[in-house]
Amino acid sequence: MIELVHLEKKFEDSTPLKDVNTVINDGDVISIIGPSGTGKSTLLRCINMLEKPTGGQILLDGVDITDPKYDVTMARRKMGMVFQSFNLFGHLTVIENIMLAPMDILKKSRQEAYETGIALLKRVGLAGREHQYPEQLSGGQKQRVAIARTLAMDPDVILLDEPTSALDPTMVGEVQAVIRDMAGMGKTMMIVTHEMSFARAICNRVFFLNQGGIYEDGTPEQIFDNPQKDLTRRFIHRLKVMELFIDNPDYDFIGAGSEIDQYCMRSDISPRVKYRIRLTFEELTQQMLFPVLSRTPIQVTVEYSEAEEKAIVNACYGGGRFDPAEGENSLSYKVLKGSVEELSYTYNENEELSNTVRVVICEKQK
Ligand SMILES: Nc1ncnc2c1ncn2[C@@H]1O[C@H](COP(=O)(O)OP(=O)(O)OP(=O)(O)O)[C@@H](O)[C@H]1O
Ligand SMILES: [Mg+2]
């Protein structure tokens, strides 16, 4: 079991890990996802103490491995790491690469290390390659050797940092198959990956890293199908977001229209959907809300989900309860309602912008 308690890692000009807290159980297979630069690699490197945390604790089976008195080589025996760039020794053969650490660190005999190495090569589909040098192998084969080398230390915990992202696309599958096999061995695994469908297929937990910590933690179903937090949802659905703020009586609606056009172009949104987003914006703000609300600012956000081919336009405003369905411009309301997938209104008195009109626009309209 690994416990991360208020784990912090500060660099000179960034603090990717501000406060990471979690418990990783034996046998957990965890995918770590998140935008670039959120500290995914740093987290793995801290867990096996390749990077020294600047705060907090890492408890490995109850022992604080960040304690200066602790001998970190003890922790590294229990943990193996697979890197994006393989990190094989070029001057050693495949089998020598695999035998090195078991003989050096675990003090295994040459014979024993050799036999384990041969069995592992077979396991990763590379039987007969033992006397080749890394440069004679493809990227996918090198990564499978790197995995065999990690397994040769029989670690309890395996950390993999984007193990397939340096590979030619044709080789991703073979390495993923080996990792999938490994996930069935009951070892604890943490894998940083951008391949969501792969993550989903092998893991029992997903960490979404953001804002210096584990921003959301759940099963693959929870995180991929039903994320609870906004940023997770945006990341999962690759949402593209745009915001407009209508805050003065001379608001430039024409300028806003061309901003929407540009946003749609950047986001690769079809002309059909673009037209509906503009219509929604104009009917909702210019016709229905602006004349009634007079000086109350309106915040409009447009989100587009590539995965779902769906745009959501939210208009939020304060100034007391006002449902546009009950407003004067019922014609605009009907026109809009008839041309979109969904039009709904909610009121939440606890929020400053207490009114929300939500419009859903689908590529494939009902
Ligand atoms: N050795 C280092 N020295 C200084 N800053 C570092 C170091 N390693 C990482 N950082 C910084 O820490 C932040 C997190 O980096 P990290 O590599 O952990 O992100 P990541 O989530 O793995 O990103 P990616 O998806 O691009 O691999 C970045 O801002 C990076 O510049
Ligand atoms: Mg990284």
Side-chain angles (χ1 to χ4, degrees):
M1 189 168 80
I2 303 171
E3 287 163 84
L4 307 180
V5 187
H6 299 305
L7 185 70
E8 180 207 78
K9 178 66 188 179
K10 258 194 183 116
F11 293 111
E12 207 164 299
D13 40 36
S14 64
T15 309
L17 308 179
K18 294 197 180 83
D19 188 15
V20 182
N21 296 284
T22 191
V23 175
I24 297 152
N25 301 303
D26 291 344
D28 268 351
V29 177
I30 299 172
S31 295
I32 301 172
I33 60 171
S36 183
T38 46
K40 303 179 296 296
S41 298
T42 304
L43 179 64
L44 289 195
R45 294 169 63 82
C46 281
I47 289 177
N48 79 346
M49 295 291 283
L50 281 175
E51 289 286 1
K52 208 169 165 306
T54 47
Q57 294 174 310
I58 300 170
L59 306 177
L60 178 61
D61 297 328
V63 179
D64 182 6
I65 67 173
T66 61
D67 186 331
K69 292 196 280 293
Y70 181 83
D71 175 8
V72 293
T73 55
M74 298 291 289
R76 294 216 189 106
R77 276 191 203 189
K78 294 190 185 182
M79 293 194 244
M81 183 131 173
V82 176
F83 302 88
Q84 186 179 340
S85 50
F86 330 130
N87 295 8
L88 296 175
F89 290 114
H91 65 289
L92 299 180
T93 62
V94 164
I95 192 74
E96 284 166 347
N97 264 286
I98 298 173
M99 291 164 63
L100 191 65
M103 288 169 55
D104 208 36
I105 298 169
L106 301 182
K107 309 291 176 208
K108 284 197 178 179
S109 70
R110 174 164 276 279
Q111 186 61 26
E112 196 186 344
Y114 180 82
E115 281 167 13
T116 312
I118 294 292
L120 286 170
L121 278 177
K122 197 169 162 207
R123 178 148 200 165
V124 299
L126 292 173
R129 302 274 182 172
E130 56 271 25
H131 298 305
Q132 293 191 326
Y133 283 89
E135 64 176 18
Q136 296 172 278
L137 304 177
S138 72
Q141 290 168 335
K142 279 185 219 170
Q143 191 60 300
R144 286 186 280 149
V145 171
I147 290 170
R149 179 184 56 179
T150 302
L151 291 173
M153 290 295 285
D154 195 24
D156 298 334
V157 180
I158 302 175
L159 308 170
L160 303 101
D161 192 1
E162 299 199 40
T164 60
S165 62
L167 300 176
D168 187 282
T170 57
M171 293 164 191
V172 169
E174 65 191 52
V175 173
Q176 288 183 342
V178 168
I179 297 170
R180 201 173 295 132
D181 171 52
M182 207 156 65
M185 291 163 71
K187 292 191 183 287
T188 307
M189 281 170 53
M190 298 181 78
I191 173 167
V192 176
T193 182
H194 291 285
E195 322 253 351
M196 303 288 167
S197 53
F198 172 63
R200 192 180 182 121
I202 64 162
C203 67
N204 67 319
R205 275 171 90 182
V206 182
F207 290 173
F208 175 65
L209 246 63
N210 210 324
Q211 298 185 348
I214 300 172
Y215 184 82
E216 197 164 338
D217 168 2
T219 64
E221 291 73 27
Q222 284 165 341
I223 300 290
F224 293 126
D225 299 337
N226 197 15
Q228 294 302 303
K229 293 179 157 184
D230 246 16
L231 290 179
T232 321
R233 202 168 50 83
R234 287 185 192 174
F235 181 78
I236 298 295
H237 296 300
R238 300 285 144 80
L239 286 182
K240 294 167 179 161
V241 183
M242 157 179 181
E243 289 188 13
L244 294 164
F245 204 58
I246 305 167
D247 59 351
N248 71 76
D250 304 317
Y251 184 77
D252 177 10
F253 282 98
I254 296 175
S258 65
E259 245 185 88
I260 295 176
D261 283 354
Q262 283 167 23
Y263 160 79
C264 290
M265 212 154 76
R266 278 198 311 274
S267 311
D268 216 9
I269 294 175
S270 76
R272 267 164 68 94
V273 173
K274 178 181 88 173
Y275 169 77
R276 291 208 179 86
I277 293 174
R278 281 199 62 160
L279 179 82
T280 301
F281 178 75
E282 284 162 14
E283 293 294 332
L284 200 57
T285 58
Q286 229 172 331
Q287 305 297 333
M288 288 184 255
L289 298 174
F290 195 64
V292 179
L293 300 176
S294 64
R295 290 183 181 277
T296 308
I298 309 167
Q299 180 196 301
V300 180
T301 54
V302 183
E303 290 184 354
Y304 184 71
S305 161
E306 235 174 68
E308 297 178 291
E309 298 189 319
K310 190 162 110 177
I312 297 174
V313 181
N314 274 314
C316 303
Y317 46 94
R321 188 187 173 100
F322 173 65
D323 179 351
E326 293 153 14
E328 287 164 19
N329 203 336
S330 59
L331 181 63
S332 271
Y333 187 85
K334 276 189 199 129
V335 168
L336 185 58
K337 181 130 191 158
S339 70
V340 297
E341 187 73 17
E342 184 190 318
L343 172 59
S344 58
Y345 169 80
T346 49
Y347 181 72
N348 181 350
E349 61 180 350
N350 299 322
E351 303 223 357
E352 195 186 336
L353 301 178
S354 47
N355 301 275
T356 301
V357 181
R358 177 183 147 95
V359 177
V360 180
I361 298 161
C362 288
E363 176 66 49
K364 299 180 187 68
Q365 204 73 24
K366 61 185 172 192

